[in-house]
Amino acid sequence: RVDSAAKQLSINYMAMVQQSTGEDWNDVELQLSTAQAHIGGEQPQLVPWRVSEWTPPPVMLRQEKLKRLRSKDNSEEISMKQMHEPEGAFDEYPMAASAAAPLSKPLANVVTNATSVVFVIPGNKTIHSDNEPHRVTVFMDRFPGYFRYVTVPKLAAQAYLKAKVKNTSNYPLLPGETQIFMDNQFVAKGQLAFVAPGEEFWTSLGVDAAIKVEYQLLRRLQKQTGLVNKSMRYEYEYRTTLTNNKASTEDVVIWDQVPISSHEKIQIQLLEPNYRVDSDELKKNELNYLEWYYQLKSGEKKIIPFSFVVEHPLGMTVEGL
C-alpha cells in the first residue's frame, strides 16, 4: 500500500495455509518456517572436467567393419565367420578416460535451523481440513521509499510508477503475488521476488495517467546515396513528449534504443541526442539502450528528440529494420 503524499510504502505480508490431514486445527498457534528441506543445506560438489579424444564404441566399430566387408564382396551374403570378431579384437579401442572415470558421490543433504526463519503468527488461528487456502497475516510494516516513473514509449506510451525500498526488517520477503493499492485504491497485481533482510529492491506500482507520455514517428526516409559506391540510407526521427500533471516534482526515466549492427558493412549513426559519454541526464549501454533522466516540475512539459541513420551497400538484404 502506497501513500503517494508521504512517499511511504507499507507491506501487509500474508501467507496462505491449507491442509487436508483429516483433522481441523482449531484455535492453534501457527509457526511458518522458510526452511527448504527439499533443497538441502550443502552446496553441490564439482567433479573433474576432463576432455579427451572421442573413440567410437565397439558396436559402432563392428558396424563399420561390416560396411567395409560388404563393399569388398559383391554378394549380399557374408559368412558368419566374417561377422564375428575374435575375442579381444576391440582391445585397441579403449573407451575415453573421461567416460571410464568414476564420478564423485554427492554429499548427504544437510538442513540447519540457522539458515531459516520461523514466523510466529500472532494470535491463535483455525485452519479447517478442507484443503482450501486460509489467509493469515504474518506482519505489517512501513518502509520509506524512493519513487520514480519509468516509461518505454516505443512499446507503451505509459508512465509506470516504481518504488525503491530497503527491507529494514530482520526477516526475508519470500517470492509471491502482490496486490498494489495506491492511496487506498487498487491499481494492479504484481510479483515480488525474494528479498533478504537489508536488501534494496524495486517494486512496480502500476500506471499513473498523471504523467502523460506521447510518442511520435516524425520521419522515416529511405533513399539511395553515392555515385560509385552506392548505398541505401534509412533515416529515422522520433519525438517523445512528457507532461507532468501532478502537483509535485517527479523523477522520470525514459528508455529507447538504437539498432545494433551485426555486419561491418551496416553502419549505424546516432544523430540526436548528441551522446559522447554517460552523464546524469543521458546514458547508453553496450546494447545501445538509451536512458534519459529528468526531474519534471509540476506542469512542466519536456520534448525529447531522437534520430539515427542506418546505411548499407546497395543490393544487400537487411533484416530487422
Side-chain angles (χ1 to χ4, degrees), residues 209-241:
I211 304 294
K212 186 178 179 181
V213 181
E214 297 175 274
Y215 190 69
Q216 296 174 289
L217 172 60
L218 301 181
R219 183 165 62 107
R220 183 184 185 279
L221 178 63
Q222 176 182 344
K223 63 181 180 180
Q224 182 177 319
T225 62
L227 297 177
V228 179
N229 297 322
K230 296 184 178 181
S231 62
M232 187 62 67
R233 179 183 174 94
Y234 300 87
E235 298 179 5
Y236 295 85
E237 184 178 357
Y238 299 89
R239 181 173 63 196
T240 299
T241 304

Side-chain angles (χ1 to χ4, degrees), residues 62 67 75 93 124 218 292:
R62 191 184 301 272
K67 289 180 181 179
S75 64
Y93 301 105
N124 289 352
L218 301 181
W292 292 264

Side-chain angles (χ1 to χ4, degrees), residues 73-126:
D73 193 348
N74 293 329
S75 64
E76 295 184 0
E77 295 183 359
I78 301 177
S79 67
M80 294 299 293
K81 183 178 180 180
Q82 290 175 313
M83 293 183 65
H84 288 81
E85 294 293 334
E87 185 177 355
F90 294 100
D91 290 346
E92 59 180 296
Y93 301 105
M95 296 296 289
S98 59
L103 298 179
S104 301
K105 293 183 179 180
L107 299 178
N109 290 336
V110 178
V111 178
T112 62
N113 291 331
T115 59
S116 63
V117 176
V118 175
F119 296 98
V120 178
I121 306 302
N124 289 352
K125 304 295 179 182
T126 294

Side-chain angles (χ1 to χ4, degrees), residues 11-16 32 135-140 177:
I11 295 180
N12 302 340
Y13 192 48
M14 300 181 179
M16 306 299 286
L32 306 181
R135 178 179 296 177
V136 296
T137 299
V138 179
F139 71 84
M140 300 174 63
E177 183 183 271

Side-chain angles (χ1 to χ4, degrees), residues 219 233-236 258 268-275 305-309:
R219 183 165 62 107
R233 179 183 174 94
Y234 300 87
E235 298 179 5
Y236 295 85
V258 181
I268 299 173
Q269 181 184 3
L270 175 63
L271 300 180
E272 209 170 10
N274 184 18
Y275 172 84
F306 174 47
S307 60
F308 59 88
V309 170

Side-chain angles (χ1 to χ4, degrees), residues 50-189:
R50 307 182 190 278
V51 178
S52 60
E53 180 183 5
W54 181 84
T55 56
V59 174
M60 296 182 65
L61 290 170
R62 191 184 301 272
Q63 292 173 349
E64 284 295 322
K65 183 157 188 178
L66 290 176
K67 289 180 181 179
R68 292 197 301 269
L69 290 173
R70 287 195 178 99
S71 64
K72 293 179 180 179
D73 193 348
N74 293 329
S75 64
E76 295 184 0
E77 295 183 359
I78 301 177
S79 67
M80 294 299 293
K81 183 178 180 180
Q82 290 175 313
M83 293 183 65
H84 288 81
E85 294 293 334
E87 185 177 355
F90 294 100
D91 290 346
E92 59 180 296
Y93 301 105
M95 296 296 289
S98 59
L103 298 179
S104 301
K105 293 183 179 180
L107 299 178
N109 290 336
V110 178
V111 178
T112 62
N113 291 331
T115 59
S116 63
V117 176
V118 175
F119 296 98
V120 178
I121 306 302
N124 289 352
K125 304 295 179 182
T126 294
I127 309 296
H128 296 292
S129 178
D130 52 10
N131 206 28
E132 294 293 330
H134 298 264
R135 178 179 296 177
V136 296
T137 299
V138 179
F139 71 84
M140 300 174 63
D141 210 343
R142 191 175 287 268
F143 302 89
Y146 162 66
F147 291 78
R148 78 176 187 187
Y149 290 90
V150 176
T151 179
V152 189
K154 174 184 178 179
L155 302 179
Q158 306 284 353
Y160 296 82
L161 180 60
K162 303 191 74 174
K164 185 179 183 180
V165 186
K166 184 175 183 178
N167 180 12
T168 55
S169 69
N170 296 322
Y171 31 75
L173 304 178
L174 302 182
E177 183 183 271
T178 60
Q179 295 184 352
I180 303 166
F181 292 81
M182 176 70 68
D183 298 327
N184 294 323
Q185 298 292 323
F186 176 76
V187 293
K189 289 186 177 182

